[in-house]
Amino acid sequence: TEFTKAFNNVFSFTPFEKKDLKISEDNSLNAHIAYLESLDAMLKKNFGSFKGTMITAIETFIQKNDARQITYLINTIPTHLDSLLKISVPSRFVTIHLDLLNLWQKKLLMYEAITNYTSDPLKAYLAMQQIESLGQQDINIQIVLIKRYQELKS
């Protein structure tokens, strides 16, 4: 899409690829459930103490010049990405897992650009333009994962 091309160019974004993953050929019901539960556990472990959203972190930074939330995200996302790269991914979930990795990487680049607005205001402005799209991507991925988990558990 045009959004993806523009984002990749402006933010020097290199998407994660299948070769970056630890892919498992175990596509059993238990493997799928374990994978989805481990994603949830990783989120809780890495972001459990974060009391906000992408929007509140950015608003707090811009409106109150308080960088604590956004800095927390910038410092925590690389650990989360490492966790996502270490997990064994059932082959049926490769595409969504890559989407998840790439989304977190884009969020990190966006947060960094916003916090560096004094040195590169144009990049910060472009990052701000991506908030809605990244938020929608996040929601879409969560819907797919939750729906799949509910199907597996029923």
Side-chain angles (χ1 to χ4, degrees):
T1 66
E2 287 303 311
F3 166 76
T4 303
K5 290 177 188 170
F7 192 96
N8 295 355
N9 290 336
V10 172
F11 293 93
S12 302
F13 175 69
T14 304
F16 288 99
E17 298 175 357
K18 195 174 179 177
K19 66 177 177 56
D20 299 317
L21 303 180
K22 288 175 47 179
I23 301 171
S24 167
E25 294 306 320
D26 182 356
N27 278 299
S28 67
L29 178 71
N30 287 341
H32 286 194
I33 291 171
Y35 164 75
L36 292 168
E37 288 178 347
S38 66
L39 288 180
D40 187 53
M42 270 187 258
L43 264 177
K44 288 176 181 167
K45 177 183 175 196
N46 294 323
F47 297 100
S49 63
F50 182 68
K51 304 297 182 221
T53 66
M54 174 170 70
I55 301 299
T56 60
I58 294 167
E59 284 177 347
T60 303
F61 175 71
I62 292 170
Q63 294 173 358
K64 299 179 182 174
N65 202 26
D66 181 347
R68 287 177 294 182
Q69 286 185 331
I70 204 165
T71 300
Y72 175 86
L73 292 170
I74 289 169
N75 292 335
T76 306
I77 289 173
T79 302
H80 190 61
L81 284 168
D82 286 344
S83 299
L84 288 170
L85 287 167
K86 290 177 184 171
I87 188 175
S88 181
V89 181
S91 59
R92 183 165 178 202
F93 285 94
V94 166
T95 302
I96 194 85
H97 198 79
L98 286 171
D99 290 346
L100 197 57
L101 279 163
N102 290 321
L103 174 66
W104 280 106
Q105 184 66 28
K106 288 175 187 175
K107 285 182 183 182
L108 176 60
L109 294 170
M110 180 191 63
Y111 295 139
E112 289 171 339
I114 291 169
T115 59
N116 292 323
Y117 72 95
T118 54
S119 61
D120 195 342
L122 179 58
K123 194 172 187 178
Y125 172 78
L126 293 171
M128 295 292 289
Q129 302 305 306
Q130 308 310 317
I131 294 170
E132 186 177 336
S133 176
L134 292 177
Q136 191 58 54
Q137 287 176 42
D138 198 353
I139 290 167
N140 292 344
I141 290 170
Q142 294 307 316
I143 288 170
V144 168
L145 293 172
I146 290 166
K147 185 177 177 185
R148 182 67 184 133
Y149 185 73
Q150 289 170 340
E151 289 169 358
L152 291 167
K153 293 297 274 186
S154 62

